[in-house]
Amino acid sequence: EIVLTQSPGTLSLSPGERATLSCRASQSVDNNYLAWYQQKPGQAPRLLISGASNRATGIPDRFSGSGSATDFTLTISRLEPEDFAVFYCQQYGSSALTFGGGTKVEI
Amino acid sequence: EVQLVESGGGLVQPGGSLRLSCAASGFTFSSSWMHWVRQAPGRGLVWVSRIKSDGSYTTYADSVKGRFTISRDNAKNTLYLQMNSLRAEDTAIYYCAGGGSGYIFNWGEGTLVTVSS
């Protein structure tokens, strides 16, 4: 199974600041099949990005994804109060899908 | 409106079995890949299993392979997860989820499975 390592574990920022989240894979992710999700307390996750850089329907353009092979990044250009949450990356390029351990973005 | 409603969770002893169900509505279930994802209390997301739209292909996480079986009944718009030989480390909220073969864009609210004596 591909292991995804997310960093940092926690990111302390203020509204209006830029957030940069990293996701590193233990081996190359086929076809850059890498997704990002946001999860708020007590809620199910929400898909933000698929295919490393394609925003899901209804996702604001302040969220952007980039990267390839083993190194991927989620960037939130200007944090809004509702953006504070835990973010997960997930690879689906192999038969066994895997999630990263998550990055908490807190105020 | 898309709805995924899980049921069947509860308390089970180590070594026991449980069958989760997920009733789907609001989308074309028979055309969708479906997944189970779990989350232990206060922990991260863990993908468990997926099944192709027609039920012909399934894959599992190493941690559940040989113990869990995913299946579906497209006539009933229902997804299942049969869980055998349960362990304490299987304790988690189990989410029914749907979307593509890989990424997931529809999620249920989850059902809690607790494995404890």
Side-chain angles (χ1 to χ4, degrees):
Chain A
E1 291 185 345
I2 295 177
V3 176
L4 299 179
T5 302
Q6 292 189 239
S7 61
T10 302
L11 202 50
S12 299
L13 296 169
S14 299
E17 290 192 298
R18 182 185 187 90
T20 302
L21 288 66
S22 173
C23 175
R24 180 160 292 177
S26 60
Q27 56 189 278
S28 185
V29 177
D30 284 352
N31 301 304
N32 295 328
Y33 282 166
L34 194 288
W36 289 93
Y37 300 84
Q38 177 190 50
Q39 187 179 33
K40 297 179 181 179
Q43 296 184 16
R46 176 176 72 147
L47 176 68
L48 299 175
I49 301 284
S50 65
S53 61
N54 303 307
R55 270 190 304 277
T57 302
I59 302 302
D61 60 9
R62 63 180 181 273
F63 291 93
S64 64
S66 63
S68 62
T70 60
D71 287 288
F72 299 90
T73 301
L74 175 70
T75 302
I76 310 171
S77 58
R78 287 177 56 87
L79 283 164
E80 297 287 341
E82 63 268 25
D83 296 338
F84 291 90
V86 180
F87 294 82
Y88 296 94
C89 59
Q90 176 224 358
Q91 68 78 25
Y92 51 100
S94 64
S95 61
L97 284 59
T98 49
F99 284 92
T103 290
K104 182 178 182 180
V105 178
E106 65 176 22
I107 297 177
Chain B
E1 179 194 5
V2 172
Q3 281 201 314
L4 295 169
V5 180
E6 302 93 340
S7 60
L11 176 64
V12 61
Q13 292 189 337
S17 297
L18 213 54
R19 189 197 199 200
L20 304 183
S21 299
C22 171
S25 61
F27 66 104
T28 308
F29 179 77
S30 59
S31 298
S32 296
W33 283 75
M34 297 298 295
H35 305 252
W36 288 99
V37 176
R38 69 185 182 185
Q39 186 169 34
R43 306 295 296 276
L45 300 171
V46 176
W47 175 82
V48 173
S49 181
R50 65 175 170 173
I51 185 168
K52 192 178 178 182
S53 54
D54 62 1
S56 63
Y57 178 74
T58 60
T59 62
Y60 298 89
D62 287 348
S63 58
V64 306
K65 201 174 295 182
R67 299 188 300 123
F68 290 12
T69 302
I70 190 171
S71 62
R72 64 192 298 160
D73 185 337
N74 285 346
K76 295 182 178 179
N77 284 356
T78 302
L79 177 72
Y80 303 100
L81 185 67
Q82 177 66 43
M83 304 186 294
N84 298 331
S85 303
L86 283 161
R87 308 165 180 166
E89 55 265 36
D90 295 318
T91 294
I93 296 171
Y94 283 73
Y95 291 102
C96 166
S101 60
Y103 59 86
I104 296 167
F105 48 80
N106 292 320
W107 296 77
E109 292 302 311
T111 186
L112 178 62
V113 171
T114 303
V115 184
S116 175
S117 55

